[in-house]
């Protein structure tokens, strides 16, 4: 089942862009991590341009650390035809707390959440079709990598139901990792921990593993700019052989 752009333009994209980004500061310096440029283009712009190419028009940016810089950037570099809204956190709330903090701005059901420091070459229309076909509460894009040790491994069964999230343990092996793209039904807000600050990856997803949560694996590329080494790898990939179209 494949959605069309007439549907996607009504679906909210929530982008987590409020992290401290300490590991990337040798590169980012005074900038918040999502504003770092890859070959001259702001990473947030890369994400928004990719997703808008599939018809999405409403973006909610969860901002915190140096959030004013992100807000000012989009005030002077407005995206024509897009709605860009801001959900601000005064103190770090974690990935889960940031999503929950944006609840009042989210109007679509389902809605999509993206990490603001990674890019995964996935067809979001197919992803939405997968989510509907599985009658899922949560669908997570999973990327296949040659070494899961720096990310933590995700286990699924033949039906693509997620069974477990295994934290980083230093073991080098091939496997599936969380690519930082999620489809949530609005009901997910009721299932989240009853506190302001929490992590999706550590405090929420492991609690719902084995239930109505599925892993979508039809993707071709995963890029993470969280460290200087990964940032330089992303620069190389984007400059040589990456076509953003799926």
């Amino acid at each position: 089942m494949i959605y069309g752009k007439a549907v996607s333009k009504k679906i909210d994209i929530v982008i987590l862009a409020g992290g401290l980004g300490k590991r990337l500061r040798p590169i980012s310096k005074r900038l918040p991590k999502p504003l770092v440029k890859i070959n001259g283009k702001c990473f947030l712009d890369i994400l928004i341009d990719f997703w808008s190419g599939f018809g999405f028009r409403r973006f909610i940016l969860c901002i915190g650390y140096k959030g004013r810089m992100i807000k000012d950037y989009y005030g002077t570099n407005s995206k024509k035809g897009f709605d860009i809204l801001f959900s601000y956190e005064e103190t770090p709330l974690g990935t889960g707390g940031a999503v929950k903090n944006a609840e009042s701005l989210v109007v679509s059901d389902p809605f999509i959440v993206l990490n603001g420091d990674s890019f995964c070459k996935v067809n979001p229309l197919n992803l939405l079709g997968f989510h509907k076909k599985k009658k899922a509460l949560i669908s997570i894009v999973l990327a296949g990598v040659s070494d899961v040790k720096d990310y933590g491994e995700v286990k699924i069964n033949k039906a693509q139901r997620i069974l477990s999230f295994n934290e980083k343990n230093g073991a080098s092996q091939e496997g599936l990792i969380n690519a930082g793209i999620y489809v949530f039904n609005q009901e997910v807000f009721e299932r989240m921990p009853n506190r302001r600050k929490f992590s999706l990856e550590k405090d929420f997803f492991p609690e719902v593993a084995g239930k109505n949560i599925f892993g979508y694996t039809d993707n071709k590329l995963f890029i993470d700019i969280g460290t200087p080494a990964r940032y330089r790898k992303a620069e190389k990939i984007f400059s040589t052989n990456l076509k953003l179209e799926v």
Side-chain angles (χ1 to χ4, degrees):
M1 181 181 297
I2 302 176
Y3 276 91
K5 292 183 179 181
V7 173
S8 61
K9 71 179 182 181
K10 300 177 183 178
I11 293 178
D12 295 334
I13 303 285
V14 177
I15 303 180
L16 300 173
L20 298 176
K22 292 181 179 179
R23 293 180 299 172
L24 194 64
R25 285 185 188 171
I27 300 291
S28 61
K29 301 188 186 303
R30 68 180 187 86
L31 291 173
K33 183 166 51 173
L35 288 188
V36 169
K37 291 187 176 181
I38 302 288
N39 301 323
K41 188 169 185 178
C42 167
F43 194 74
L44 263 180
D45 283 341
I46 291 173
L47 290 177
I48 291 173
D49 288 351
F50 177 79
W51 286 80
S52 66
F54 291 90
F56 298 92
R57 288 294 179 269
R58 195 167 187 270
F59 297 88
I60 300 166
L61 305 186
C62 296
I63 57 176
Y65 174 72
K66 295 194 173 181
R68 173 59 63 180
M69 294 182 73
I70 295 175
K71 195 169 185 178
D72 289 347
Y73 175 82
Y74 284 105
T76 56
N77 295 271
S78 59
K79 296 284 191 180
K80 187 176 181 180
F82 300 168
D83 289 326
I84 297 182
L85 297 87
F86 301 92
S87 174
Y88 183 72
E89 52 190 77
E90 294 185 3
T91 59
L93 298 177
T95 52
V99 174
K100 196 170 185 178
N101 190 54
E103 180 178 0
S104 63
L105 297 175
V106 177
V107 296
S108 71
D109 190 9
F111 63 99
I112 293 173
V113 175
L114 312 177
N115 282 345
D117 63 353
S118 63
F119 173 87
C120 189
K121 193 176 180 184
V122 64
N123 187 316
L125 306 180
N126 291 347
L127 170 62
L128 286 166
F130 169 87
H131 181 77
K132 184 173 183 179
K133 182 179 179 180
K134 293 294 185 181
K135 298 180 180 179
L137 173 68
I138 302 167
S139 294
I140 299 179
V141 174
L142 305 178
V145 297
S146 59
D147 192 346
V148 300
K149 70 177 181 180
D150 291 332
Y151 298 97
E153 186 178 13
V154 182
K155 293 286 190 181
I156 60 174
N157 64 14
K158 291 182 179 179
Q160 293 178 273
R161 188 183 302 274
I162 293 177
L163 302 178
S164 65
F165 295 84
N166 303 316
E167 282 299 307
K168 307 171 189 178
N169 58 17
S172 295
Q173 60 184 19
E174 185 177 344
L176 295 171
I177 65 169
N178 177 353
I181 299 175
Y182 318 118
V183 184
F184 288 151
N185 291 350
Q186 284 268 358
E187 183 187 342
V188 81
F189 289 118
E190 301 171 10
R191 305 286 189 91
M192 289 178 171
N194 188 26
R195 57 183 188 271
R196 280 183 56 77
K197 181 178 180 179
F198 65 96
S199 163
L200 290 174
E201 300 84 354
K202 296 179 181 179
D203 302 319
F204 181 50
F205 291 153
E207 293 299 315
V208 295
K211 299 176 183 176
N212 200 15
I213 176 171
F214 291 85
Y216 180 78
T217 58
D218 184 19
N219 60 80
K220 304 173 180 67
L221 178 72
F222 173 73
I223 299 171
D224 160 24
I225 64 164
T227 67
R230 294 176 195 165
Y231 169 84
R232 294 186 185 98
K233 182 179 179 181
E235 274 198 316
K236 184 176 180 181
I237 292 173
F238 273 94
S239 67
T240 56
N241 61 4
L242 178 61
K243 293 182 179 179
L244 292 186
E245 297 83 2
V246 174

